[in-house]
Amino acid sequence: MGVETALLVSSLASAGGSVIQGYQSSKALSNDIARYQDEKKYAELRALQEENDRTEAMNIILNNNRAIAGASGILDDSRSFLTIQQDVFNSAKEDISNIKLNKNIATSKYDQQIINSKIQKQSVFWGSLSSASSSALQGWGYYQYYQPGKTPFQKEQVKAKAFDKRWRG
């Protein structure tokens, strides 16, 4: 094996390494994307559970207030009773709105991470492809340059002499 062949093989091995590294990085990013999607679903489920818990707590408080009012002889339509019930309802409504807002913030962050990972995955693919191409072309260039026989400079000298002989006499 000559020098030119050794250089070509070395460059092809480097190109293969670039492709494998790109593939492994792409797989890792795909796993990250899947994890972010799972975490986003869990965040949505947690928010839904918190919303359900808060609604259930509100209903318990409203029912307890009705039971206390009924036991103490307060009318259901008294203004103070209705105001207390409305305050409980408004407080729960505000809490549920905050839960939904926090859910939207969390899912937005996960969506952004998913998008960033997809962009990075494309970048890794094109980077490994260009690195592999560069290594292969460099190896081919070395192979061509170090082949036995005349060097590219010697070939150009022969052309120059032929040109001189033909056109300059």
mmCIF file of all heavy atoms in Angstrom, residues 7-8 10-16 18 130-140:
data_model
loop_
_atom_site.group_PDB
_atom_site.id
_atom_site.type_symbol
_atom_site.label_atom_id
_atom_site.label_comp_id
_atom_site.label_asym_id
_atom_site.label_seq_id
_atom_site.Cartn_x
_atom_site.Cartn_y
_atom_site.Cartn_z
ATOM 1 N N LEU A 7 -3.406 7.482 2.861
ATOM 2 C CA LEU A 7 -4.077 8.755 3.122
ATOM 3 C C LEU A 7 -5.552 8.694 2.750
ATOM 4 O O LEU A 7 -6.405 9.259 3.443
ATOM 5 C CB LEU A 7 -3.374 9.892 2.384
ATOM 6 C CG LEU A 7 -1.993 10.272 2.920
ATOM 7 C CD1 LEU A 7 -1.294 11.240 1.979
ATOM 8 C CD2 LEU A 7 -2.110 10.875 4.307
ATOM 9 N N LEU A 8 -5.863 8.025 1.660
ATOM 10 C CA LEU A 8 -7.260 7.877 1.243
ATOM 11 C C LEU A 8 -8.045 7.065 2.280
ATOM 12 O O LEU A 8 -9.148 7.456 2.680
ATOM 13 C CB LEU A 8 -7.340 7.205 -0.127
ATOM 14 C CG LEU A 8 -8.749 6.978 -0.692
ATOM 15 C CD1 LEU A 8 -9.449 8.313 -0.903
ATOM 16 C CD2 LEU A 8 -8.676 6.200 -1.986
ATOM 17 N N SER A 10 -7.327 6.656 5.441
ATOM 18 C CA SER A 10 -7.423 7.462 6.662
ATOM 19 C C SER A 10 -8.540 8.493 6.549
ATOM 20 O O SER A 10 -9.326 8.689 7.488
ATOM 21 C CB SER A 10 -6.089 8.154 6.923
ATOM 22 O OG SER A 10 -6.198 9.085 7.959
ATOM 23 N N SER A 11 -8.623 9.142 5.427
ATOM 24 C CA SER A 11 -9.670 10.146 5.233
ATOM 25 C C SER A 11 -11.053 9.508 5.199
ATOM 26 O O SER A 11 -12.014 10.070 5.730
ATOM 27 C CB SER A 11 -9.426 10.915 3.939
ATOM 28 O OG SER A 11 -8.243 11.657 4.048
ATOM 29 N N LEU A 12 -11.174 8.347 4.576
ATOM 30 C CA LEU A 12 -12.463 7.657 4.545
ATOM 31 C C LEU A 12 -12.866 7.192 5.943
ATOM 32 O O LEU A 12 -14.058 7.241 6.292
ATOM 33 C CB LEU A 12 -12.421 6.491 3.564
ATOM 34 C CG LEU A 12 -12.317 6.885 2.084
ATOM 35 C CD1 LEU A 12 -12.210 5.643 1.208
ATOM 36 C CD2 LEU A 12 -13.485 7.742 1.663
ATOM 37 N N ALA A 13 -11.891 6.771 6.744
ATOM 38 C CA ALA A 13 -12.195 6.387 8.129
ATOM 39 C C ALA A 13 -12.675 7.605 8.919
ATOM 40 O O ALA A 13 -13.627 7.516 9.711
ATOM 41 C CB ALA A 13 -10.974 5.770 8.789
ATOM 42 N N SER A 14 -12.050 8.738 8.689
ATOM 43 C CA SER A 14 -12.474 9.972 9.351
ATOM 44 C C SER A 14 -13.889 10.354 8.909
ATOM 45 O O SER A 14 -14.713 10.782 9.724
ATOM 46 C CB SER A 14 -11.495 11.097 9.030
ATOM 47 O OG SER A 14 -11.916 12.309 9.578
ATOM 48 N N ALA A 15 -14.172 10.206 7.628
ATOM 49 C CA ALA A 15 -15.516 10.499 7.113
ATOM 50 C C ALA A 15 -16.547 9.565 7.748
ATOM 51 O O ALA A 15 -17.638 10.001 8.146
ATOM 52 C CB ALA A 15 -15.543 10.367 5.589
ATOM 53 N N GLY A 16 -16.208 8.285 7.861
ATOM 54 C CA GLY A 16 -17.112 7.331 8.503
ATOM 55 C C GLY A 16 -17.361 7.683 9.958
ATOM 56 O O GLY A 16 -18.483 7.593 10.454
ATOM 57 N N SER A 18 -17.281 10.669 11.229
ATOM 58 C CA SER A 18 -18.156 11.843 11.247
ATOM 59 C C SER A 18 -19.616 11.448 11.059
ATOM 60 O O SER A 18 -20.509 11.977 11.732
ATOM 61 C CB SER A 18 -17.758 12.827 10.146
ATOM 62 O OG SER A 18 -16.484 13.364 10.389
ATOM 63 N N SER A 130 -21.366 17.458 5.949
ATOM 64 C CA SER A 130 -20.313 18.296 5.355
ATOM 65 C C SER A 130 -18.932 17.867 5.839
ATOM 66 O O SER A 130 -17.968 17.882 5.066
ATOM 67 C CB SER A 130 -20.568 19.775 5.665
ATOM 68 O OG SER A 130 -20.446 20.028 7.040
ATOM 69 N N SER A 131 -18.808 17.453 7.087
ATOM 70 C CA SER A 131 -17.522 16.983 7.603
ATOM 71 C C SER A 131 -17.087 15.703 6.890
ATOM 72 O O SER A 131 -15.920 15.555 6.517
ATOM 73 C CB SER A 131 -17.620 16.749 9.110
ATOM 74 O OG SER A 131 -16.412 16.254 9.616
ATOM 75 N N ALA A 132 -18.030 14.789 6.705
ATOM 76 C CA ALA A 132 -17.711 13.539 6.004
ATOM 77 C C ALA A 132 -17.325 13.822 4.555
ATOM 78 O O ALA A 132 -16.351 13.253 4.039
ATOM 79 C CB ALA A 132 -18.898 12.586 6.067
ATOM 80 N N SER A 133 -18.046 14.712 3.909
ATOM 81 C CA SER A 133 -17.723 15.062 2.513
ATOM 82 C C SER A 133 -16.355 15.703 2.419
ATOM 83 O O SER A 133 -15.566 15.383 1.517
ATOM 84 C CB SER A 133 -18.773 16.016 1.956
ATOM 85 O OG SER A 133 -20.041 15.436 1.983
ATOM 86 N N SER A 134 -16.067 16.587 3.338
ATOM 87 C CA SER A 134 -14.769 17.262 3.344
ATOM 88 C C SER A 134 -13.630 16.262 3.530
ATOM 89 O O SER A 134 -12.615 16.323 2.831
ATOM 90 C CB SER A 134 -14.741 18.313 4.457
ATOM 91 O OG SER A 134 -13.453 18.854 4.594
ATOM 92 N N SER A 135 -13.813 15.334 4.471
ATOM 93 C CA SER A 135 -12.763 14.330 4.701
ATOM 94 C C SER A 135 -12.569 13.438 3.479
ATOM 95 O O SER A 135 -11.436 13.130 3.098
ATOM 96 C CB SER A 135 -13.122 13.462 5.914
ATOM 97 O OG SER A 135 -13.115 14.220 7.087
ATOM 98 N N ALA A 136 -13.675 13.041 2.860
ATOM 99 C CA ALA A 136 -13.571 12.181 1.677
ATOM 100 C C ALA A 136 -12.892 12.917 0.521
ATOM 101 O O ALA A 136 -12.013 12.354 -0.154
ATOM 102 C CB ALA A 136 -14.956 11.700 1.268
ATOM 103 N N LEU A 137 -13.273 14.173 0.317
ATOM 104 C CA LEU A 137 -12.639 14.932 -0.771
ATOM 105 C C LEU A 137 -11.162 15.198 -0.490
ATOM 106 O O LEU A 137 -10.331 15.158 -1.409
ATOM 107 C CB LEU A 137 -13.376 16.247 -0.985
ATOM 108 C CG LEU A 137 -14.737 16.126 -1.658
ATOM 109 C CD1 LEU A 137 -15.449 17.470 -1.665
ATOM 110 C CD2 LEU A 137 -14.595 15.583 -3.066
ATOM 111 N N GLN A 138 -10.835 15.440 0.758
ATOM 112 C CA GLN A 138 -9.432 15.651 1.108
ATOM 113 C C GLN A 138 -8.634 14.372 0.855
ATOM 114 O O GLN A 138 -7.525 14.418 0.308
ATOM 115 C CB GLN A 138 -9.328 16.052 2.581
ATOM 116 C CG GLN A 138 -7.915 16.347 3.023
ATOM 117 C CD GLN A 138 -7.853 16.729 4.497
ATOM 118 O OE1 GLN A 138 -8.783 16.446 5.247
ATOM 119 N NE2 GLN A 138 -6.772 17.355 4.893
ATOM 120 N N GLY A 139 -9.197 13.237 1.233
ATOM 121 C CA GLY A 139 -8.529 11.961 0.975
ATOM 122 C C GLY A 139 -8.350 11.715 -0.506
ATOM 123 O O GLY A 139 -7.283 11.250 -0.952
ATOM 124 N N TRP A 140 -9.369 12.029 -1.292
ATOM 125 C CA TRP A 140 -9.261 11.862 -2.740
ATOM 126 C C TRP A 140 -8.191 12.788 -3.318
ATOM 127 O O TRP A 140 -7.436 12.393 -4.201
ATOM 128 C CB TRP A 140 -10.603 12.117 -3.396
ATOM 129 C CG TRP A 140 -10.560 11.942 -4.890
ATOM 130 C CD1 TRP A 140 -10.649 12.902 -5.831
ATOM 131 C CD2 TRP A 140 -10.381 10.721 -5.590
ATOM 132 N NE1 TRP A 140 -10.552 12.364 -7.083
ATOM 133 C CE2 TRP A 140 -10.376 11.013 -6.968
ATOM 134 C CE3 TRP A 140 -10.211 9.396 -5.192
ATOM 135 C CZ2 TRP A 140 -10.213 10.037 -7.935
ATOM 136 C CZ3 TRP A 140 -10.067 8.426 -6.166
ATOM 137 C CH2 TRP A 140 -10.064 8.758 -7.523
#
